Amino acid sequence: MRFADLLGFAWQVVLGYRSRTLLILLAMGIGVAAVVTVTALGEGARLYVVRQFGSLGTNLVIVLPGRSETSGSMPGVLIGKTPRDLTIDDALALKRSHAIRRFAPLIVGAGDVRSGSRRRETPVLGSTPELMDIRSMELASGRFLPAGDPRHSQPVCVIGTKVAGELFGNRQALGDWVRIGDRRFRIIGILAAQGESLGFNTDEIVIVPLAAAQALFNTESLFRILVEAKSRDQIADAKADVEEIIRLRHEGEKDITVITQDAVLATFDRILRALTLTVGGIAAISLAVAGILIMNVMLIAVTQRKREIGLLKALGATGRQIQMAFFTESAMLALGGAAVGVAAGEFGRSIISQIYPAIPFEAPWWALVAAPVTAVVTGILFTVAPARRAARLDPVQALSRR
Amino acid sequence: MIRLTGIERTFTVGDEQVHALRAVTMQIARGEYLSIMGPSGSGKSTLLNILGLLDRPNAGSYELDQRDVTGLSDDELARVRREKIGFVFQFFHLVPRLTAAENIELPMVLSGVDPAERAPRLGQLLAEYGLTERSGHRPDQLSGGQCQRVAIARAMSMRPGVILADEPTGNLDRHTGQEVMSVLERLHENGGTVIVVTHDPEIGARSQRRLRMIDGAVASDEKG
Ligand SMILES: Nc1ncnc2c1ncn2[C@@H]1O[C@H](COP(=O)(O)OP(=O)(O)O)[C@@H](O)[C@H]1O
Ligand SMILES: [Mg+2]
């Protein structure tokens, strides 16, 4: 029997028993759609986290005061009063390391920013010019913080686009002055719109020189130091150097936490991937259910079409041909169901994407391959028993009216 | 050319052995027109099924065209059946979801005949059996006589040497039955071996050779 004829024959069956076909398409479709949607959710969450970390900058090593017991756990919890503060001098000492390309000390606080009668509460970051490259920030206009000794500062600031819009409207913000607390700062740069990046929306921040922030918030201690290693291979060296340099400065005590982007990212990546696989696997159980449905439907078909099978044998069909006819039929149904499922899953995904536009929901390629393949394999596996039963049917009995 | 020697066929029903065929020995020459008659349960269908390789005898040997087919595997039997034997049944046995044309084409499809070769043969068969206008109809849209003509056309589609018909007129009215018989007789006139099981003595009388079966055995075998 030619392959095209086999397909044609199966197609006639699929068309001939419509309600049965719809039932299987529905069951397979639900299973595949579940896998596609659920893995898209998991993968979306994973990509979201990965991109958030990626937006921090490349080869990033973050130094924060306080000792964290388990590396890789969320470190933010440990800010606050710690045995010893991180200082500007600690940061400047990092220049000794050969593994470090650049670093930026960071102080963060909330500031009351005013221009004329308009005011706005925004996060205020105190840092050095290196921050721009480390965080891969871009300027819409003007320039970034001026270079110079971080212990002394000029009264200048760089503001996010949203802050500029809210304080100045259509007026020119660049070159104008704002008040933060009781100090005046000249706006020398406006950041390009970039959006959210791990907790900070850069459109809504104001950046001032480090010393200015120290004065504003009346603090000596750094919130953290962002360090960029010279290359990906030197991240580990940079981390070791940072730990050693600060330990020596802190009288031999290891009272800082150094997080590498890689380690945290790898942990999240692993957790979220495992999660996606797990939920995908759970969703795939519905495929097995669909497979069992196919088996039952096929067993019924063998009984229903007993006479037809007997006839095919009388016309010279071999047992193999009969089996192939059944396999083709179930593969066709499973593929159809998979197509319906992928379409429905993508539809569901696009709806969720519209509700949460920030998260890149996207079914991973392996799910898009695995779900239909699983559907077809399940379909065929569960057809083995019915197909063999059909092939073994005694034609004389099958044809008789008994 | 068919040669049966000492064919036995028994069925086990519960604890009982039903002897459907007893020591059937006979020869059927190529191109013969043979009718098999006899009371119900005398083994006519069983004999036909064995002749058509749908069933295997418990004992005895069967030679078809100088080849012993008794020991062939199921698949080999299927292949021989496909090439050499055409079946016509009392209940037509058309595939309900397929059109008349598709039903007729089925044996060629199963044999893997090239579609380019199938089309003209199909057209010829449809014309020959007066079904051209009905080719796109499904069995439930056809009359009994038309269904049986479709079944005969289907049996003929692989141009087999032997046509086996088990009570082909059993489900048809007298007039349509006559019509179907003349179709079968035309096959015989064109050189085919035609073997017909029938209840109807009038139909049986039309053949040149008449076999009478009683209780699984050949009771009489008349020619002329
Ligand atoms: N599959 C079977 N199982 C059991 N008994 C059978 C079977 N097929 C036929 N028989 C028996 O064999 C005998 C001959 O049957 P059959 O060839 O169908 O007779 P006929 O066609 O002449 O009416 C009957 O007694 C019938 O009951
Ligand atoms: Mg009978």
Side-chain angles (χ1 to χ4, degrees), chain A residues 174-193:
Chain A
L174 196 68
D176 211 330
W177 292 77
V178 288
R179 242 174 204 293
I180 305 175
D182 53 0
R183 285 159 185 272
R184 275 159 55 82
F185 293 87
R186 201 162 68 84
I187 301 169
I188 56 166
I190 295 170
L191 293 170

Side-chain angles (χ1 to χ4, degrees), chain B residues 1-120:
Chain B
M1 164 78 170
I2 290 169
R3 189 197 302 271
L4 297 181
T5 319
I7 296 288
E8 302 276 341
R9 183 70 174 103
T10 53
F11 295 103
T12 315
V13 183
D15 319 326
E16 253 180 277
Q17 294 275 316
V18 179
H19 235 100
L21 291 178
R22 299 170 200 267
V24 175
T25 298
M26 64 172 180
Q27 283 190 38
I28 303 167
R30 181 186 295 267
E32 254 188 308
Y33 176 15
L34 172 79
S35 68
I36 304 175
M37 299 188 51
S40 181
S42 56
K44 306 182 294 291
S45 295
T46 306
L47 178 60
L48 210 66
N49 288 335
I50 285 179
L51 285 172
L53 302 170
L54 277 183
D55 197 6
R56 293 167 186 272
N58 296 94
S61 75
Y62 176 7
E63 209 177 283
L64 176 62
D65 293 340
Q66 279 81 51
R67 182 183 180 198
D68 188 353
V69 292
T70 325
L72 295 187
S73 73
D74 281 355
D75 281 2
E76 286 169 319
L77 287 180
R79 230 156 277 136
V80 175
R81 198 152 61 222
R82 190 190 283 171
E83 282 160 20
K84 303 201 164 173
I85 290 157
F87 273 103
V88 178
F89 306 93
Q90 180 181 354
F91 300 106
F92 321 137
H93 288 310
L94 302 181
V95 180
R97 61 173 180 279
L98 301 183
T99 63
E102 288 162 344
N103 266 290
I104 295 172
E105 209 180 10
L106 208 46
M108 295 192 276
V109 168
L110 288 171
S111 307
V113 176
D114 199 296
E117 204 179 314
R118 258 157 33 196

Side-chain angles (χ1 to χ4, degrees), chain A residues 86-89 107 126 150-152 183 208-222:
Chain A
L86 266 179
T87 64
I88 292 188
D89 291 326
I107 288 177
R151 276 169 286 225
H152 303 287
R183 285 159 185 272
V208 299
L210 190 66
Q214 281 182 317
L216 260 181
F217 302 121
N218 192 23
T219 176
E220 281 296 307
S221 69
L222 301 177

Side-chain angles (χ1 to χ4, degrees), chain A residues 30-53:
Chain A
I30 289 173
V32 172
V35 172
V36 169
T37 311
V38 151
T39 52
L41 294 185
E43 185 71 358
R46 190 181 73 83
L47 285 178
Y48 179 71
V49 169
V50 168
R51 280 180 203 173
Q52 289 289 296
F53 273 91

Side-chain angles (χ1 to χ4, degrees), chain A residues 87-299:
Chain A
T87 64
I88 292 188
D89 291 326
D90 287 338
L92 292 176
L94 298 181
K95 279 185 180 159
R96 295 214 317 266
S97 166
H98 295 293
I100 292 173
R101 186 195 303 281
R102 52 171 88 91
F103 59 87
L106 197 63
I107 288 177
V108 176
D112 188 27
V113 185
R114 277 166 294 159
S115 161
S117 60
R118 302 200 197 193
R119 56 190 302 160
R120 188 188 146 86
E121 182 93 354
T122 67
V124 175
L125 270 58
S127 193
T128 56
E130 287 77 16
L131 179 70
M132 179 156 132
D133 289 324
I134 292 181
R135 290 285 306 256
S136 342
M137 289 173 167
E138 274 167 36
L139 285 168
S141 59
R143 52 205 168 78
F144 203 67
L145 299 177
D149 185 344
R151 276 169 286 225
H152 303 287
S153 71
Q154 301 167 22
V156 294
C157 69
V158 176
I159 63 177
T161 50
K162 204 166 166 195
V163 177
E166 287 180 7
L167 292 181
F168 293 92
N170 291 330
R171 283 186 295 128
Q172 165 88 323
L174 196 68
D176 211 330
W177 292 77
V178 288
R179 242 174 204 293
I180 305 175
D182 53 0
R183 285 159 185 272
R184 275 159 55 82
F185 293 87
R186 201 162 68 84
I187 301 169
I188 56 166
I190 295 170
L191 293 170
Q194 232 173 339
E196 190 93 8
S197 143
L198 208 72
F200 278 119
N201 186 339
T202 51
D203 301 346
E204 295 180 10
I205 56 169
V206 172
I207 302 170
V208 299
L210 190 66
Q214 281 182 317
L216 260 181
F217 302 121
N218 192 23
T219 176
E220 281 296 307
S221 69
L222 301 177
F223 174 60
R224 52 192 67 177
I225 308 170
L226 305 181
V227 176
E228 188 183 321
K230 279 193 176 147
S231 69
R232 205 180 167 78
D233 300 333
Q234 297 198 58
I235 290 176
D237 290 345
K239 182 180 175 185
D241 284 356
V242 168
E243 281 172 344
E244 182 60 15
I245 291 168
I246 309 261
R247 191 178 65 81
L248 287 175
R249 290 183 48 84
H250 287 194
E251 289 149 3
E253 254 187 83
K254 279 185 141 185
D255 56 0
I256 54 160
T257 302
V258 181
I259 322 164
T260 58
Q261 191 186 338
D262 264 17
V264 179
L265 192 57
T267 309
F268 269 108
D269 199 50
R270 227 175 28 242
I271 293 171
L272 290 170
R273 224 181 254 280
L275 195 71
T276 306
L277 273 172
T278 312
V279 291
I282 292 170
I285 291 174
S286 54
L287 282 179
V289 174
I292 292 170
L293 179 80
I294 285 198
M295 177 163 78
N296 281 295
V297 164
M298 285 299 174
L299 283 175

